[in-house]
Amino acid sequence: MEEICVPLYVELLHEGGDAMTPVEAVMTYDSDDPLAVSVDFVCGNGTHTTWTMGRDLVAEGLTSRRPVGLGDVRVWYCGDGGLRIRLDSDEGSADLLAGREDVAEFLSRTYQLVPEGSELDGYDVDAVLDLLFAPTSPAPACRWCGRECPCPDHGTR
């Protein structure tokens, strides 16, 4: 396992987009999870929250003038060297602004570690799918009545 961690200067955009609050963040890439990058944010109250997103989503967002992503994370280039990151959850949402060049440099380092297109090299995808879709074993039977354990009349075996 190799990991890349870089501090990232991020600003939280307030409603209306006029005011911004700096947010401490660290962007991380782990070669054991080669399709994803994570960003750990330190919230105003000192708690941490980590968001994980596709490395390809962030890469596409570096050049797109429209938000890319359909789920909880959307990323896009907003001009003036800024990269917008929109995070949505049940608890709320956040609009963040990061330096596009900083994120591009981070991604460049991840591609040096695990080149694009080779993320799944060495993974036996068929074996993983076989495990996921393998028939499950039946529950053990009660030795006295033959019903599935734990039997309501006899307890466990």
Side-chain angles (χ1 to χ4, degrees):
M1 168 187 92
E2 291 186 57
E3 192 174 84
I4 299 169
C5 294
V6 298
L8 185 65
Y9 181 76
V10 176
E11 292 178 312
L12 175 66
L13 302 172
H14 297 267
E15 258 185 68
D18 296 336
M20 294 184 271
T21 302
V23 176
E24 192 177 328
V26 175
M27 197 166 218
T28 304
Y29 179 77
D30 183 345
S31 63
D32 284 345
D33 189 6
L35 296 170
V37 297
S38 296
V39 184
D40 184 55
F41 299 98
V42 180
C43 302
N45 60 5
T47 61
H48 289 251
T49 184
T50 302
W51 283 75
T52 301
M53 58 204 78
R55 179 171 75 159
D56 59 341
L57 174 96
V58 177
E60 186 179 347
L62 285 173
T63 58
S64 176
R65 292 285 188 160
R66 294 176 177 239
V68 293
L70 299 173
D72 296 339
V73 179
R74 290 182 303 250
V75 181
W76 68 99
Y77 173 54
C78 62
D80 295 330
L83 185 70
R84 289 282 296 273
I85 304 169
R86 169 89 179 179
L87 306 174
D88 289 304
S89 76
D90 293 338
E91 289 82 34
S93 61
D95 278 311
L96 303 157
L97 183 65
R100 180 176 177 258
E101 290 303 317
D102 295 337
V103 175
E105 173 60 30
F106 168 80
L107 284 180
S108 175
R109 290 179 59 195
T110 72
Y111 289 124
Q112 290 171 6
L113 186 60
V114 178
E116 183 177 15
S118 70
E119 293 92 347
L120 297 180
D121 289 357
Y123 286 91
D124 187 348
V125 175
D126 290 330
V128 171
L129 291 174
D130 287 345
L131 284 172
L132 287 173
F133 296 110
T136 58
S137 303
C142 173
R143 64 178 147 192
W144 291 285
C145 67
R147 289 186 292 195
E148 185 177 301
C149 282
C151 170
D153 297 324
H154 303 108
T156 59
R157 296 184 185 218

